[in-house]
Amino acid sequence: MSVGTVVDWLAAVALVSGALLSLAAGIGVLRFPDVLDRMHAATKPQVLGVLLLLVGLALRLRTAADLGMIVLVGVFQLATAPVAAQMIGRAAYRSGRVDRSLLDVDELAEHQPEDGGSRSEHGEQRRGGSRSGRGEQRRGGSRSEPGE
C-alpha cells in the first residue's frame, strides 16, 4: 500500500464519521424534548462532525489554497458554535422555557427576581417593569424616561 492510498482511506473514514455525527446532531435537534438538550445536540456533535469533514477534505484535497480555506472554516465554526449555544441557552432560561428542576446547578437563580411577574397560560414567565418588557436594567444605573 502506498502512502497516498492510506491517506485516501483516512480521508474516507473522516468524511463518513463526520457525516454520521452531523446526521446524529440533526436527529437530536429534531427529537430531543428540551431546549437545553437540543442546544447540546446542535453544537457538540455538529461541531465535531464538521471538523471531521474538514479533516477529510484536507486529506483529500492537499493544496495550499484549499487548506487555508478549510482552516478558516474550522476556526469560524469553533468560534461561533459555543457563542450561539450560550446565547440560545441564556434566552431560553430568561424566557422561562427551561425546566429548572432538571438542572443540577442553577447559578442564575440568585440573579432572577423572586416576584418576577405572573405566568402565562403556557407556563412562561412574564416579567414586567421596563418599557421593553425584558424586566432588566442596563448596566451603569437605572434608565431614565424622556422628559424626566
Side-chain angles (χ1 to χ4, degrees):
M1 271 182 137
S2 69
V3 173
T5 306
V6 172
V7 171
D8 285 343
W9 275 103
L10 288 174
V13 167
L15 287 169
V16 170
S17 299
L20 289 175
L21 275 171
S22 295
L23 176 67
I27 292 171
V29 168
L30 292 175
R31 299 283 309 224
F32 284 155
D34 190 20
V35 173
L36 297 179
D37 294 334
R38 289 180 185 153
M39 178 188 65
H40 179 81
T43 54
K44 299 208 182 202
Q46 187 267 339
V47 170
L48 183 58
V50 167
L51 291 178
L52 281 172
L53 286 170
L54 293 175
V55 167
L57 282 173
L59 290 173
R60 186 70 181 119
L61 296 176
R62 300 183 198 128
T63 62
D66 293 331
L67 292 178
M69 187 61 67
I70 288 170
V71 167
L72 279 175
V73 170
V75 167
F76 285 133
Q77 184 68 31
L78 287 172
T80 58
V83 174
Q86 174 72 18
M87 293 297 108
I88 291 169
R90 179 177 283 186
Y93 186 88
R94 286 185 176 175
S95 67
R97 299 203 183 269
V98 174
D99 185 8
R100 294 182 183 175
S101 66
L102 296 176
L103 300 176
D104 290 334
V105 176
D106 190 358
E107 295 175 352
L108 297 176
E110 63 192 37
H111 300 292
Q112 295 294 318
E114 289 297 321
D115 58 346
S118 62
R119 293 200 176 264
S120 70
E121 59 187 304
H122 299 291
E124 299 169 6
Q125 182 77 17
R126 301 218 184 250
R127 293 180 185 90
S130 72
R131 286 178 64 185
S132 65
R134 290 185 291 179
E136 58 190 22
Q137 293 183 349
R138 293 182 184 158
R139 291 184 183 165
S142 63
R143 284 188 233 183
S144 63
E145 297 293 326
E148 287 185 355

